[in-house]
Amino acid sequence: MDFLVTLLTNGGALLHSTLVAATPLLLAALGETIVQRAGVINIGLEGILLIGAFAGVTTCYMSGSPLLGMLVGALSGLLFALLFAGLTIGLSADQIVVGVSLNLLAAGITGVLYRGIFGVTGQAVQVTTFAPISLPFLGTFPVFGPALFQHTALVYLAIALVPLCTFFLFQLRAGLQLQAVGEHPHAAETLGISVRKVRTFALAMEGLLGGIAGSYLSLAYSNTFIEGMSAGRGFIALAIVIFGRWNPSGALWGALFFGAATALQFHLQALGSEIPYQFVLMLPYVLTILALVLLKTHTSAPAALGQPYNRE
Amino acid sequence: MTARPTSLVSLLLALISAAIVITIGLSFAGISVSSVFANLWLGAAGDAYRLSETAVKACPLLFTGLAVMLALHAGLWNIGAEGQLLLGALATAWVGQYIAALSSALAIVIVVAVSLSAGFLWAGCAAYLKQKHNVNEVISTLMLNFVAVYLVSYSVHGPLMEVAGQYPQTNPLPVTATLPRLFPPARFHLGILLALVVALTVWIFLFRTKAGFRLRATGANPTAARFAGIAVEREVTIAFVLSGALAGLAGGIEVSGITQRVYEKFSPGYGYTAIAVALVGQRSPVGVVLAALFFGALDAGASAVQRTVGVSSVLASVIQAIVVLFLAAYSTDTIQRLISRISTRFALLLLVGVAFLCSH
């Protein structure tokens, strides 16, 4: 019971690290939600994160500006997503194969370039990071102020994107067309919607968001690049999309849940808990499978998910 | 799902395209292209020891590549080979504690059986979820991969941690349970021969038995297979658990043949690379053997490149990924139509021409 008491008194810190850990997951999951709503599964999201993280660090190292790093990170994510689009939308290549290969490519390229640019000095490269911004008035609240309103700009951006994405998907004409493409591409095409254009657009959005998520990892979550530092977050984002039933607000809850598991793991370790931290980390994956079984979430999946589209 | 007549042309074109892209990339980085390729070759096939290393690196890729290929013939992606391999390895390390007193032959048979079963059961979870609850196998196996990663992490920090208690790793397997090395000091072990036997068995099963025919019919056209009286769901389950068993065996053989222990990051992603191996192998067992050797050679060669030229050994991943991406692109209907429009002879002429240009 002792550690539970400590845990409660540490609630503020726990909440803070939950948001910090949830942000990259949320950004990536929002991107994947848009893409899957358009009927595409992009397993290569993990690679996009890694590329974004690397491009972010390199740019920030050269220029000293985390903001510029994030922008270049977003653009390299975009480029990577467009490569996926060219192969799977342009040529109708298999989405799983291309996704898995892009992950392999990202791991390889970032590894080779990191060693090529920064050498093997044994000391990891260090860059300036995004500084936390305390929101006026809100940031001064006890406990909740530091926990919720003293974060880097990217945290606020990620959360602000949730209502924006919801508005886009469910209110805007373009968003409804995107959903139509994911549900029934052939019907959408007869209505004059270009399936290829819509899907490419969705992937471009995901590339930007994934790139930002990646640069968050290297420019806010940490201040360096480590090979393979995306550490499966792209795959967690895939789980969050299902968990959130293909809704941006669902993605927010999913990301917070997975973020909390990460944060809790560190706190439990720090508090010397008896619960093996691996089980805390494993929990979200197990729960995602359970959610698929119990909530029948697959019925809310876009009907044409993962199917390549040929016009004839 | 059968190989097209033009598929070999696609593969050749993919290899050539990848070589060109790598050459351009290295030249841009100001790295000597010839020394990279020369060291890749020397590192993979320079002498008998290096050849053995290529085979050693190819071994887990061959097992997992066959696993992915088998599922693919039934129309399924087994993205879960990574998790199944880890479970196979973990089960081997666990059973290793109890078989020190047995004869070597019996101990090795137990290792094989236990790792097979672990992979079988782990894939069985995904198959059960698919059949009973309609859970997509790509998603469930991805999740199960991570569960496996943390199970390994927990085990090597907890119940299976070495007695010395110094590092998060399991005790070494007892000597009786380790696979004999055939040409010491080279690491070429009995498991590599076993992998070839398994490849042959898979070939016989798929192409020379009724069960294999039913499985392939299911993958080629499930609707037609159902009309022909094949229990499609059953075939899908069989293919998936067999695939898992092969991936589990990959883990058992790797522990017993090479690492002796299980630790975190035990697998550098064999299960994911296996997807590329199955694809480059054109979904044929012989092709998968050759593809696994090719990928193993790249891994072995890239280590040499890192030592001599200083380019990180993950260069192997870059080359593998680029080959597969080109192959995936060239295998699409759009490009296939383009290729078949050009006459085969002209294509061959083109290939020779490009190869000639490359060599200069």
Side-chain angles (χ1 to χ4, degrees), chain A:
Chain A
M1 280 326 274
D2 267 356
F3 88 84
L4 264 181
V5 176
T6 336
L7 199 65
L8 284 176
T9 50
N10 280 318
L14 190 65
L15 205 56
H16 186 269
S17 33
T18 296
L19 271 177
V20 167
T23 297
L25 302 175
L26 177 57
L27 287 166
L30 286 175
E32 184 75 17
T33 300
I34 295 174
V35 162
Q36 294 206 1
R37 279 277 180 182
V40 179
I41 291 186
N42 184 5
I43 291 189
L45 181 56
E46 175 79 3
I48 293 178
L49 290 182
L50 202 52
I51 287 282
F54 177 76
V57 144
T58 312
T59 311
C60 186
Y61 180 77
M62 308 267 179
S63 69
S65 157
L67 187 65
L68 197 63
M70 187 204 81
L71 288 176
V72 175
L75 285 179
S76 12
L78 174 72
L79 267 179
F80 223 62
L82 288 181
L83 183 57
F84 182 91
L87 289 165
T88 61
I89 315 292
L91 294 172
S92 309
D94 191 290
Q95 294 172 8
I96 305 291
V97 171
V98 175
V100 170
S101 314
L102 283 182
N103 288 339
L104 197 63
L105 183 66
I109 279 190
T110 52
V112 169
L113 286 181
Y114 182 81
R115 205 181 152 115
I117 295 173
F118 300 106
V120 272
T121 49
Q123 202 175 3
V125 59
Q126 296 206 336
V127 292
T128 40
T129 57
F130 281 97
I133 303 168
S134 178
L135 290 190
F137 181 64
L138 291 171
T140 56
F141 269 98
V143 186
F144 282 104
L148 297 178
F149 304 112
Q150 290 184 11
H151 282 283
T152 52
L154 291 175
V155 177
Y156 305 125
L157 171 76
I159 290 170
L161 277 171
V162 175
L164 279 179
C165 286
T166 311
F167 182 72
F168 165 74
L169 277 177
F170 301 107
Q171 302 295 326
L172 285 189
R173 191 183 166 78
L176 294 172
Q177 287 184 343
L178 186 141
Q179 288 192 56
V181 165
E183 290 296 337
H184 206 312
H186 287 276
E189 190 88 36
T190 53
L191 291 173
I193 304 169
S194 166
V195 173
R196 292 187 165 189
K197 274 188 194 156
V198 167
R199 288 188 169 172
T200 307
F201 166 80
L203 279 163
M205 289 298 108
E206 181 183 42
L208 286 173
L209 289 172
I212 296 175
S215 57
Y216 175 89
L217 290 176
S218 58
L219 298 174
Y221 196 75
S222 70
N223 64 344
T224 183
F225 180 83
I226 303 160
E227 281 187 43
M229 77 181 296
S230 48
R233 287 188 181 82
F235 295 117
I236 298 181
L238 287 175
I240 289 173
V241 171
I242 301 161
F243 216 76
R245 295 189 173 203
W246 292 269
N247 277 320
S249 51
L252 173 63
W253 296 119
L256 285 175
F257 174 62
F258 276 73
T262 312
L264 194 63
Q265 172 249 139
F266 286 121
H267 283 257
L268 284 180
Q269 265 182 299
L271 296 172
S273 147
E274 295 285 310
I275 305 168
Y277 69 91
Q278 292 93 347
F279 285 107
V280 181
L281 287 176
M282 198 190 290
L283 196 65
Y285 299 102
V286 177
L287 286 178
T288 300
I289 293 174
L290 275 182
L292 279 168
V293 171
L294 299 175
L295 304 173
K296 303 276 176 218
T297 38
H298 48 267
T299 50
S300 46
L305 192 57
Q307 294 164 10
Y309 173 73
N310 290 308
R311 210 176 291 175
E312 60 267 52

Side-chain angles (χ1 to χ4, degrees), chain B residues 9 12-13 16 20 344-360:
Chain B
V9 177
L12 269 176
L13 281 174
I16 292 167
I20 293 172
T344 318
R345 265 182 221 166
F346 182 73
L348 280 175
L349 210 67
L350 196 78
L351 287 180
V352 173
V354 173
F356 183 74
L357 279 176
C358 281
S359 65
H360 281 260

Side-chain angles (χ1 to χ4, degrees), chain B residues 275-286:
Chain B
I275 296 160
V277 171
L279 203 72
V280 172
Q282 308 282 320
R283 299 166 184 192
S284 101
V286 181

